[in-house]
């Protein structure tokens, strides 16, 4: 039953942005991101948008604080900034490169600040034996510096290339679908709580 005293923002679905963090040729990320997006779209309290960083290339050289990005970067920057700013929560889909975060993902995170603040972040990782978990541990530290809140549970695929069929479906869906539901439940709880808090009082004031 809907609480008659609930505000409109409390009733609206959480606006979740799913970010594909790898931009390499031959990457496996879109397979994992597509699967998770389907799981999120089936969740009653979530409205999903997908951001593939390969479609939003940002240079390594960033402008000084207070200065506008170069003209050839400004359109990409504005588009991505708008999508991140409108989000209530994020899920980062990431592999592990050399025991840490893909360079393009770290660069994209560093281009923004206020867009991440006081919002929850979840992680879906994939890789070999580690399942990308070392990248996730580094991402938790990075997002903490940006005042984002990482949720406890994540989804990881160890030896991911052997865990999906030719159509991009997990071979053992019951385990990963259960983990995805736990992650989404945590994200929606934090997303609603922090959205209400930001509406009541802007973060940092």
């Amino acid at each position: 039953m809907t609480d008659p005293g609930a505000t409109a923002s409390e009733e609206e679905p959480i606006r979740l942005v799913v970010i594909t963090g790898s931009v390499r040729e031959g990457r496996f990320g879109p397979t994992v991101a597509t699967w998770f997006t389907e799981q999120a779209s089936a969740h009653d309290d979530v409205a999903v948008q997908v951001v593939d960083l390969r479609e939003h290339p940002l240079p390594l050289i960033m402008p000084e604080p207070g200065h506008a990005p170069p003209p050839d970067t400004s359109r990409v920057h504005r588009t991505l900034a708008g999508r991140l700013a409108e989000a209530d929560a994020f899920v980062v889909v990431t592999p592990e490169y050399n025991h840490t975060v893909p360079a393009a993902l770290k660069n994209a995170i560093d281009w923004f600040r206020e867009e991440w603040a006081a919002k929850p972040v979840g992680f879906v990782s994939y890789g070999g034996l580690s399942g990308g978990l070392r990248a996730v541990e580094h991402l938790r530290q990075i997002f903490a510096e940006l005042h984002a809140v990482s949720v406890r549970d994540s989804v990881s695929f160890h030896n991911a290339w052997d865990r999906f069929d030719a159509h991009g479906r997990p071979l053992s869906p019951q385990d990963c679908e259960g983990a995805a539901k736990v992650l989404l439940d945590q994200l929606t709880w934090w997303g609603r709580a922090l959205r209400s808090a930001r509406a009541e009082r802007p973060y940092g004031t």
Side-chain angles (χ1 to χ4, degrees):
M1 179 180 296
T2 301
D3 179 359
T7 65
S9 63
E10 290 173 334
E11 295 175 352
E12 291 173 359
I14 293 301
R15 292 166 294 189
L16 174 67
V17 169
V18 177
I19 301 170
T20 304
S22 172
V23 300
R24 282 184 175 178
E25 292 292 335
R27 61 198 175 137
F28 195 69
T31 298
V32 181
T34 297
W35 167 80
F36 183 79
T37 299
E38 291 175 354
Q39 300 301 304
S41 298
H43 198 286
D44 292 339
D45 297 327
V46 175
V48 188
Q49 273 200 343
V50 177
V51 167
D52 186 341
L53 293 183
R54 192 165 177 173
E55 299 173 1
H56 298 82
L58 290 166
L60 291 175
I61 299 176
M62 288 178 277
E64 291 293 326
H67 291 71
D72 59 344
T73 304
S74 59
R75 182 183 62 81
V76 173
H77 181 266
R78 286 197 309 271
T79 299
L80 193 50
R83 291 190 180 183
L84 299 180
E86 291 174 355
D88 297 310
F90 307 99
V91 164
V92 178
V93 179
T94 184
E96 177 184 311
Y97 293 164
N98 300 323
H99 284 214
T100 192
V101 181
L105 173 57
K106 179 60 165 65
N107 184 54
I109 293 170
D110 289 345
W111 266 87
F112 305 96
R113 190 166 187 85
E114 290 81 5
E115 289 83 357
W116 307 114
K119 297 177 182 179
V121 185
F123 305 103
V124 176
S125 64
Y126 60 95
L129 289 176
S130 70
L133 290 175
R134 287 173 290 208
V136 169
E137 291 308 305
H138 289 177
L139 284 167
R140 292 186 188 280
Q141 298 175 57
I142 293 165
F143 277 110
E145 181 65 19
L146 294 166
H147 297 261
V149 178
S150 63
V151 300
R152 179 192 180 280
D153 288 83
S154 63
V155 181
S156 62
F157 292 95
H158 304 259
N159 297 317
W161 303 270
D162 298 328
R163 296 186 178 274
F164 288 78
D165 65 20
H167 304 288
R169 302 291 180 184
L171 296 175
S172 300
Q174 60 276 7
D175 293 335
C176 56
E177 288 179 2
K181 183 181 184 305
V182 171
L183 171 58
L184 288 163
D185 287 345
Q186 292 178 5
L187 278 171
T188 54
W189 190 95
W190 278 104
R192 289 187 185 281
L194 292 175
R195 182 170 63 186
S196 296
R198 293 194 309 273
E200 181 178 336
R201 182 176 184 179
Y203 181 75
T205 60

